[in-house]
Amino acid sequence: MRSPILHVALSFVLGALPAFAGDLLVDQSAGAPAFATIQAAVNAASVGDRILIAPGLYPERVTITKGIELVGAGPSLTQVRPTQVNGGFINPAQPPITIQNLPAGQRLRISGMRCSSQHNGGVLPALPMLSALECQGRIELSDLVLDHSSYGWGAAPNQTGTLLVFNCAQVIADRVSTINSLQGNPTTGYQGRNGIAGAWVGNSRAWFNACQLRGKPGFEILPLIPTIPSGDGGAGVFVLNSEVELARTSAEGGIARYFADFGQPPAASGAGLQAVGSQVRLIGGSSSLLQGASAQPPGSGSQPGSISTAAVGVSLDAGSSLVRASDAAVLGGAGAGAQPAAPAFQLAPGSQQIDLARRLPSLALIPGTVPIGQPLTIDYQGEPGSVHLRALWVSSGLALPLPGIGGSLLLDPLTLVQALPVVLDGAGQAQVASGIPNNPNYLGLTLVEQSAQVAGFDIDLSAPAILNVRF
């Protein structure tokens, strides 16, 4: 089904919207007026400005405190990676990108880049690759790779994450991947190094759509000091006193190993999702899976003789609740050798789990980043035969909770582009073909789509999906 209305509606909306306050360019090789560093451009930018970042490796630590946009050329082309200092140790004070104190009513967007650590035989403190702290405005993260590729040290289990969100009113993550593959030093090991979560969300409201979140493995140590345990694995997602929705998202805990032959106590591998005092809505859809870390055969790690453990898919404490769609998969980690498999759920007394008999709505914009003049497909999934009321708008608004309806509507009626119905087939799917007009005014634009599913007497809202128009 083709949607030519999108072209007309976008032209109307963009004509009514004010232009970006300014576009700033970051290019290490271009010279003035382009900026050589991202931080210099951020410092010069005003609220509403957009910073376009050319391909390149930017050895910086960037701090952002105002509502601007950072738009890279894509995770494979634009990378923020601080340079190692002090003999291989990175200054533990700040990750590659820090967002903090974003005022209410302002919107910040980061898209199209990779944030990573540098590994060259050194050690990186257990820091996030991107952190959002004390923000009352709206944060949009899309088309990002967060790569914690160095050894870590110094963190208690699940006390931080490769993506860290704390005290934030509204965070939308679409197509964000956290990579946490590197384990302990294969030669000397590190003592008691705990893995960190793929995403750590505290005192916040967050939506995850089409994300891949991996907890960092615990780091095994040589059995030199048996009384010091190896590190625990990080959860795929750790949620503390927060409201979180996950759609089309996979989250897997990091593995942990220990040396039982030398008297070390067992180290715990990470759950797919660990919730403390939180409300979680597991929407489901394609690739939706929460899985605990699986055990591996003895001695399969970097140190012969190590033992690994399996972890639960979901762990809820007494103050947490989980609403799960019928197609949202949860798996415990598989066993290996004498290590048993883990159950899918670990529910503390007083926790609440609600398994719905219906599927919940989810959507994806394919591809999520598209050049002007190119087609795209909007993919809908949900309850078979249901009606989805789709709403597409230019991003700027805040969330609007609707009593009696599952989820929160992020619609900005001032920039509404479309509000059209789509009927899902017997398999619970529908696709709408559309595209972005071949007009330079659309370069770098962000669109957000969300749908309301009507199935009988039930009304449910999807998590939002973000469309980036490549600059």
Side-chain angles (χ1 to χ4, degrees):
M1 175 167 48
R2 185 71 183 171
S3 184
I5 300 176
L6 175 61
H7 296 68
V8 178
L10 277 175
S11 300
F12 173 78
V13 170
L14 289 178
L17 286 176
F20 283 98
D23 279 349
L24 290 75
L25 176 63
V26 179
D27 191 333
Q28 296 167 322
S29 60
F35 293 87
T37 69
I38 300 172
Q39 188 64 63
V42 169
N43 294 343
S46 300
V47 173
D49 282 354
R50 182 172 56 185
I51 298 173
L52 307 179
I53 307 172
L57 173 61
Y58 296 87
E60 308 183 46
R61 300 181 187 90
V62 181
T63 299
I64 312 166
T65 60
K66 50 194 168 187
I68 57 178
E69 300 191 28
L70 269 66
V71 184
S76 63
L77 298 173
T78 301
Q79 182 175 183
V80 182
R81 189 183 71 188
T83 302
Q84 286 185 324
V85 296
N86 298 333
F89 286 78
I90 291 181
N91 185 341
Q94 187 177 341
I97 293 183
T98 299
I99 307 163
Q100 61 187 26
N101 301 321
L102 181 68
Q106 294 190 19
R107 168 183 165 268
L108 185 146
R109 166 197 173 199
I110 300 178
S111 67
M113 65 184 68
R114 185 185 195 98
C115 300
S116 65
S117 56
Q118 181 178 5
H119 172 65
N120 188 22
V123 180
L124 178 72
L127 290 177
M129 293 297 98
L130 188 151
S131 64
L133 311 171
E134 308 290 346
C135 294
Q136 295 304 308
R138 172 169 168 169
I139 298 171
E140 298 172 5
L141 309 173
S142 62
D143 193 23
L144 299 177
V145 174
L146 308 180
D147 183 3
H148 198 302
S149 59
S150 295
Y151 305 139
W153 59 274
N158 291 314
Q159 289 300 298
T160 186
T162 301
L163 170 62
L164 172 64
V165 177
F166 184 68
N167 278 351
C168 292
Q170 185 181 137
V171 175
I172 304 171
D174 187 277
R175 292 169 292 117
V176 174
S177 297
T178 62
I179 300 176
N180 292 300
S181 58
L182 192 61
Q183 302 174 19
N185 189 311
T187 304
T188 61
Y190 290 105
Q191 299 173 356
R193 307 312 180 198
N194 294 293
I196 63 176
W200 193 100
V201 182
N203 300 337
S204 302
R205 172 181 284 181
W207 293 259
F208 293 90
N209 188 65
C211 295
Q212 295 180 338
L213 308 172
R214 300 292 180 267
K216 194 170 182 64
F219 310 128
E220 53 190 291
I221 65 171
L222 283 175
L224 301 178
I225 308 177
T227 57
I228 299 180
S230 294
D232 292 339
V237 181
F238 184 88
V239 186
L240 173 67
N241 300 329
S242 297
E243 298 178 21
V244 171
E245 296 186 23
L246 300 105
R248 303 194 183 201
T249 291
S250 64
E252 184 177 356
I255 196 171
R257 298 183 179 90
Y258 65 101
F259 294 89
D261 290 346
F262 291 84
Q264 287 183 351
S269 293
L273 166 74
Q274 184 174 349
V276 177
S278 298
Q279 290 73 53
V280 179
R281 189 166 177 256
L282 190 54
I283 295 176
S286 296
S287 303
S288 175
L289 175 62
L290 299 182
Q291 184 169 11
S294 293
Q296 295 184 3
S300 60
S302 62
Q303 297 297 337
S306 63
I307 297 174
S308 60
T309 58
V312 299
V314 169
S315 173
L316 303 180
D317 82 332
S320 295
S321 64
L322 175 72
V323 175
R324 182 169 68 120
S326 61
D327 63 335
V330 177
L331 297 175
Q339 297 298 313
F345 294 93
Q346 184 179 65
L347 308 177
S351 63
Q352 185 178 25
Q353 177 184 343
I354 301 174
D355 290 329
L356 301 177
R358 65 184 183 278
R359 295 172 61 179
L360 294 176
S362 69
L363 60 94
L365 299 162
I366 305 172
T369 300
V370 62
I372 59 173
Q374 297 299 310
L376 66 98
T377 298
I378 308 173
D379 181 76
Y380 299 88
Q381 295 179 9
E383 182 69 7
S386 63
V387 177
H388 282 214
L389 304 176
R390 46 183 296 223
L392 176 69
W393 65 95
V394 178
S395 176
S396 66
L398 296 178
L400 175 64
L402 298 181
I405 297 179
S408 295
L409 185 66
L410 276 72
L411 173 65
D412 184 346
L414 297 179
T415 62
L416 179 65
V417 177
Q418 283 185 329
L420 300 174
V422 177
V423 179
L424 271 57
D425 62 19
Q429 298 179 340
Q431 290 190 338
V432 174
S434 191
I436 300 298
N438 191 11
N439 185 324
N441 290 331
Y442 298 94
L443 292 173
L445 190 70
T446 302
L447 300 173
V448 177
E449 176 146 353
Q450 195 172 12
S451 66
Q453 173 180 282
V454 180
F457 295 101
D458 297 310
I459 301 177
D460 299 289
L461 295 172
S462 73
I466 297 175
L467 173 66
N468 300 313
V469 182
R470 192 178 301 280
F471 73 88

